[in-house]
Amino acid sequence: AQSVTQLDSHVSVSEGTPVLLRCNYSSSYSPSLFWYVQHPNKGLQLLLKYTSAATLVKGINGFEAEFKKSETSFHLTKPSAHMSDAAEYFCVVRRNSGNTPLVFGKGTRLSVIA
Amino acid sequence: DGGITQSPKYLFRKEGQNVTLSCEQNLNHDAMYWYRQDPGQGLRLIYYSQIVNDFQKGDIAEGYSVSREKKESFPLTVTSAQKNPTAFYLCASSIVSGWGGTEAFFGQGTRLTVV
C-alpha cells in the first residue's frame, strides 16, 4: 500500500523568502511521486513528478523537489516565494508499476505575505 | 483544446434526491477517476475506470454510483444513500500504462451543496 504524509497543514512565508513544503511517503513498491497545486475552487495542476530517474526534479514556476529514499521524503522547495504561489499543495504517490490510482496527502496551504 | 470538462460548476440538491455530475474528456485517455475533496482531508478516491464498461470502487464508494459507456464520459451519481454529500468533486483522467509514472489530468470540479 502507498500513503503520503504532509507534515504541515499550513505554511506562511513572506514574499521573496524560500518555500519548503514537507512530504514523507510510504510505499511497498518503488514509487512515483508528484506535487500538484490547487488554487481556490479550481482543479489541480501538476507541478512536477519523480519517476525513478534524477532524484532532483525541476517543475514549473521555479519549484523543485528532491527524492530521498533513505529518508522516504519528497519535499517541495522554491527559492523565492511570489504572491501568486499562495494555494493548496498536494503530495501524491503512485505505485511505479501497473495503473493504480493516485494516493493524495491531505494538503498544505501556502500563504504568502507581502 | 484538449482537456476535461466537468459540469455543472455548482450544484444544489435537496435531501433525498439523486444527482448526476458530468465528466467528459477529449484527451483519449483510457482511465478516469472521481475524487471527493473536503477541507483538510485531501482528495479521496470514489471510483475509477480503466476501460469502457468496467470500473472499480475506491476508498469511499458507498452512496455513489458510476457508469462508463463511452471512453470520453464517466458520470458520477450521488445517491440519497450518501449521508454527507456536500463536497467538492473532482474528475481526472490518465493514460493506462504498465508504468506508474504517468500523471493524471484534472477537471475544474463541481461543488455540490445539499440544501
Side-chain angles (χ1 to χ4, degrees):
Chain A
Q2 296 83 47
S3 67
V4 288
T5 301
Q6 293 185 241
L7 298 170
D8 306 291
S9 60
H10 182 215
V11 170
S12 183
V13 301
S14 297
E15 190 174 22
T17 65
V19 175
L20 170 64
L21 304 183
R22 299 182 295 164
C23 172
N24 287 350
Y25 71 91
S26 173
S27 179
S28 304
Y29 304 89
S30 176
S32 289
L33 292 157
F34 308 81
W35 276 98
Y36 281 83
V37 61
Q38 183 184 35
H39 292 275
N41 294 310
K42 299 291 187 183
L44 277 70
Q45 179 184 19
L46 180 70
L47 277 178
L48 50 81
K49 65 179 181 180
Y50 165 77
T51 58
S52 75
T55 56
L56 182 62
V57 181
K58 294 188 183 298
I60 62 172
N61 300 335
F63 285 94
E64 63 181 38
E66 186 171 8
F67 174 73
K68 293 187 176 180
K69 185 176 181 179
S70 61
E71 299 177 9
T72 61
S73 69
F74 190 57
H75 301 334
L76 181 70
T77 61
K78 183 174 180 178
S80 176
H82 190 272
M83 295 297 289
S84 60
D85 294 328
E88 188 92 16
Y89 291 80
F90 293 97
C91 183
V92 183
V93 66
R94 190 179 207 177
R95 178 176 165 176
N96 207 17
S97 62
N99 200 72
T100 57
L102 301 175
V103 176
F104 284 77
K106 293 188 175 182
T108 297
R109 182 166 61 91
L110 175 65
S111 297
V112 182
I113 303 167
Chain B
D1 287 335
I4 302 175
T5 300
Q6 290 187 241
S7 61
K9 187 172 182 179
Y10 298 96
L11 185 57
F12 296 89
R13 188 195 92 173
K14 292 182 180 180
E15 286 193 27
Q17 286 183 336
N18 293 354
V19 289
T20 297
L21 283 60
S22 171
C23 178
E24 304 277 336
Q25 55 99 359
N26 60 5
L27 299 169
N28 200 33
H29 288 167
D30 286 302
M32 297 187 74
Y33 312 85
W34 275 106
Y35 288 90
R36 169 179 171 144
Q37 184 177 19
D38 297 283
Q41 294 296 316
L43 275 69
R44 293 180 290 168
L45 183 66
I46 305 173
Y47 270 97
Y48 67 105
S49 167
Q50 298 192 39
I51 194 169
V52 173
N53 293 323
D54 188 46
F55 46 83
Q56 288 78 42
K57 292 182 179 180
D59 300 318
I60 57 166
E62 185 175 352
Y64 299 97
S65 66
V66 293
S67 63
R68 186 86 187 277
E69 298 177 1
K70 299 187 300 181
K71 184 176 183 178
E72 302 79 18
S73 179
F74 191 42
L76 173 74
T77 296
V78 184
T79 74
S80 57
Q82 169 50 235
K83 299 304 180 186
N84 185 22
T86 295
F88 192 52
Y89 291 87
L90 286 157
C91 178
S93 71
S94 72
I95 64 172
V96 172
S97 168
W99 174 61
T102 54
E103 67 267 32
F105 295 81
F106 284 81
Q108 294 296 295
T110 293
R111 184 165 297 281
L112 173 64
T113 303
V114 174
V115 297

